[in-house]
Amino acid sequence: MARSRRQRPGAWAPLLLLLLAGPVACAASPADDGAGAGGRGPRGRARGDSGSDEAVPRHDSSYGTFAGEFYDLRYLSEEGYPFPTAPPVDPFAKIKVDDCGKTKGCFRYGKPGCNAETCDYFLSYRMIGADVEFELSADTDGWVAVGFSSDKKMGGDDVMACVHDDNGRVRVQHFYNVGQWAKEIQRNPARDEEGVFENNRVTCRFKRPVNVPRDETIVDLHLSWYYLFAWGPAIQGSITRHDIDSPPTSERVVSIYKYEDIFMPSAAYQTFSSPFCLLLIVALTFYLLMGTP
């Protein structure tokens, strides 16, 4: 019995050595299997290749590794493009008068030969799809407007006005003439509006649908109307009485489908063009040439 107790430690020694060597053998076994199948190591690399594990990228699934790679790709760097930038604001395109009577209709009021930047009042219109684009400009720091009327008088008219407010903006507003007074209407058919105040002039551009649902304050532009032209000062963004007592109007109804270039001389240039003044000039000339009796 004593002999058998002395032999037990020797019997357990080989087993302990086997258990200690087991993990090493298990760790090496995949490589040995890969080498035995075609003589290639892990990931299909040939045994003896100069490439090491650095040649095959390893990706950690942790958030830190993901953020690092995202930064390396420069999606978050200052030199990359992390956020879209707002497009630059286009400056107001100047009104072209060379197209008047060709691709758009125009009304000019003021000095003969004036354009959209020098006339006392200027208006143009043209069809764009189902809309009519209007361009207005006047020599004022307040407002400029066009009215659509069944006659040549104010009252019961649909009016579109471009108003220069105290903040320097030019806004397109909708009004309805009640007698000699303009009432602002919240329902505004204008869209794609833009305006500018430069060189003491209010200039704007906007679109308005040709056909609109039946409404007392909004006319259908596919019908012909007299056009009323007006401009004047504004107080805190609110329009006041127009500059002249009798604003100009179109001589006849206007069709948006017919493009004309119509000039109307202002009062300062109508003096010598009236028949009475011409007759007076002829009489004075004849009197001077013939002399006194």
Side-chain angles (χ1 to χ4, degrees):
M1 295 295 292
R3 185 180 299 177
S4 62
R5 289 193 187 99
R6 287 195 298 268
Q7 291 177 352
R8 280 187 181 178
W12 282 98
L15 180 60
L16 290 174
L17 293 175
L18 180 62
L19 291 174
L20 291 175
V24 178
C26 292
S29 60
D32 295 340
D33 294 342
R40 305 188 65 87
R43 303 181 183 270
R45 289 198 305 273
R47 186 184 301 178
D49 287 349
S50 60
S52 61
D53 286 346
E54 288 82 359
V56 179
R58 293 183 178 179
H59 298 278
D60 195 345
S61 60
S62 66
Y63 176 79
T65 302
F66 170 76
E69 293 180 354
F70 201 68
Y71 185 86
D72 290 340
L73 291 175
R74 299 172 65 180
Y75 284 107
L76 297 179
S77 66
E78 295 180 357
E79 295 152 356
Y81 303 93
F83 303 106
T85 57
V89 178
D90 294 334
F92 186 89
K94 291 186 177 181
I95 299 176
K96 298 180 180 180
V97 296
D98 295 338
D99 300 334
C100 292
K102 302 174 184 177
T103 59
K104 64 182 179 182
C106 297
F107 288 91
R108 313 186 203 194
Y109 177 84
K111 181 181 179 180
C114 65
N115 55 35
E117 299 177 3
T118 57
C119 288
D120 294 349
Y121 178 95
F122 178 91
L123 174 137
S124 75
Y125 62 91
R126 65 169 177 164
M127 290 286 298
I128 301 181
D131 297 330
V132 182
E133 182 184 72
F134 289 97
E135 295 174 316
L136 284 79
S137 180
D139 184 14
T140 181
D141 62 354
W143 57 273
V144 55
V146 56
F148 310 102
S149 176
S150 58
D151 52 28
K152 293 184 179 182
K153 301 178 181 179
M154 290 184 62
D157 309 317
D158 178 3
V159 178
M160 301 299 297
C162 301
V163 185
H164 176 220
D165 62 21
D166 292 343
N167 296 323
R169 300 172 302 179
V170 175
R171 298 175 291 108
V172 179
Q173 296 178 265
H174 180 219
F175 294 89
Y176 182 75
N177 281 342
V178 181
Q180 300 294 313
W181 176 62
K183 176 184 177 182
E184 184 176 1
I185 307 298
Q186 294 302 320
R187 185 187 176 194
N188 192 342
R191 54 192 179 199
D192 296 340
E193 60 184 75
E194 55 180 332
V196 65
F197 176 70
E198 290 181 344
N199 302 322
N200 202 45
R201 293 188 69 89
V202 175
T203 306
C204 65
R205 181 183 294 113
F206 62 90
K207 295 176 184 176
R208 171 172 160 153
V210 176
N211 298 310
V212 295
R214 187 177 182 86
D215 191 301
E216 180 184 4
T217 63
I218 303 178
V219 302
D220 283 334
L221 293 179
H222 75 277
L223 301 175
S224 298
W225 305 91
Y226 288 100
Y227 280 21
L228 311 180
F229 313 119
W231 62 100
I235 299 178
Q236 295 181 351
S238 299
I239 67 174
T240 60
R241 182 176 173 78
H242 40 70
D243 279 345
I244 56 180
D245 293 334
S246 299
T249 64
S250 61
E251 292 296 328
R252 56 184 181 275
V253 293
V254 179
S255 170
I256 60 172
Y257 303 102
K258 185 177 181 181
Y259 296 155
E260 298 179 274
D261 186 9
I262 298 176
F263 170 75
M264 296 174 286
S266 61
Y269 300 94
Q270 293 176 2
T271 304
F272 297 104
S273 60
S274 64
F276 175 77
C277 291
L278 290 176
L279 181 60
L280 181 61
I281 292 174
V282 171
L284 289 174
T285 304
F286 179 78
Y287 178 80
L288 293 175
L289 290 177
M290 296 300 297
T292 58

